[in-house]
Amino acid sequence: MAGPSAADNYAGVYEGRLQPGTRPALLIVDVVAAYLTEGSPLFMEAAAAARDSNRRLADAARAAGVPVIFTNVQYRPGGADGGVFYRKAPVLKVFDEGSPLGAFPAELAPQPGDRVVTKQYPSAFFGTGLAEALHGEGVDTLLIGGYSTSGCVRASALDAMQHGFVPLVVRDACADRHPAPHEANLFDLQAKYAEVIGEAEALEIIWRAGKDEDENWVTTL
């Protein structure tokens, strides 16, 4: 006899909801060539669609004056600064300094005014100073997309919450190696740590933030 579904099992226990704040930023996690290049050990079939979703979000964010943050991964030769993570996942050698697989794709590259955070561990916040910088800019909400859902996206969303930001994980803008960990992690993030939203809702939040900025600017004249 089948037991209760995951949704039924969580019902009445993990049902809290977070509301976006008024100062969002867009965090694009590790959308780099390693995941988009066929033949790369990290190649993912779903990566291209998520890249395109992130591109639309980034275009909208720039137009609205919403900060855009990119992360990438880079190690000194041989992973000298990679620690236990590099030892656990030797595939990370694709991000050794100078590797073309660590480059941003032409379709979604940082533009003037965007922030680039280079990291060595899964979270965009670990050892990077990103939280302090965003708090200094008054950011209270993070729209999050990138690779992979079960890895660096999840770690970044969890740390965003722990640093006091409302994490909004954009389903369409995330990808993983297999649908099972992708869906399982989105389910768990929604239950405990974040809000999982679609691209259309994310674009609405960006548009609304830009409109609020325009209205505030007019009010101060």
Side-chain angles (χ1 to χ4, degrees), residues 29-31 35 42 44 50 85 119 122 144-157 169 173-178 181-182 185-186 189:
V29 179
D30 299 351
V31 178
Y35 300 98
L42 291 176
M44 301 187 302
F85 187 38
K119 60 190 181 70
I144 304 171
Y147 314 143
S148 62
T149 315
S150 60
C152 296
V153 169
R154 180 190 175 93
S156 297
V169 178
C174 299
D176 213 311
R177 295 182 67 82
H178 190 275
H182 173 74
N185 279 274
L186 289 177
L189 282 164

Side-chain angles (χ1 to χ4, degrees), residues 30 69-73 104 115-119 124-125 128 130:
D30 299 351
I69 304 107
F70 286 80
T71 75
N72 63 352
V73 179
F104 293 108
R115 184 191 305 272
V116 176
V117 175
T118 298
K119 60 190 181 70
F125 295 93
T128 66
L130 178 59

Side-chain angles (χ1 to χ4, degrees), residues 6 19 33 37 39 60 79 96-97 99 104 112 134 140 146 169 171 173 175 180 217:
Q19 296 301 317
T37 304
D96 281 2
E97 187 175 357
S99 169
F104 293 108
L134 294 179
D140 57 18
V169 178
R171 170 185 290 274
W217 182 78

Side-chain angles (χ1 to χ4, degrees), residues 77-165:
D81 51 349
V84 174
F85 187 38
Y86 195 95
R87 299 205 308 271
K88 173 62 179 175
V91 70
L92 293 173
K93 66 185 178 184
V94 301
F95 298 126
D96 281 2
E97 187 175 357
S99 169
L101 293 177
F104 293 108
E107 300 92 334
L108 182 61
Q111 301 297 311
D114 297 344
R115 184 191 305 272
V116 176
V117 175
T118 298
K119 60 190 181 70
Q120 288 75 44
Y121 290 90
S123 172
F125 295 93
F126 187 80
T128 66
L130 178 59
E132 294 79 4
L134 294 179
H135 281 308
E137 295 170 11
V139 170
D140 57 18
T141 301
L142 280 177
L143 297 153
I144 304 171
Y147 314 143
S148 62
T149 315
S150 60
C152 296
V153 169
R154 180 190 175 93
S156 297
L158 176 58
D159 270 1
M161 181 271 291
Q162 293 178 147
H163 282 289
F165 303 102

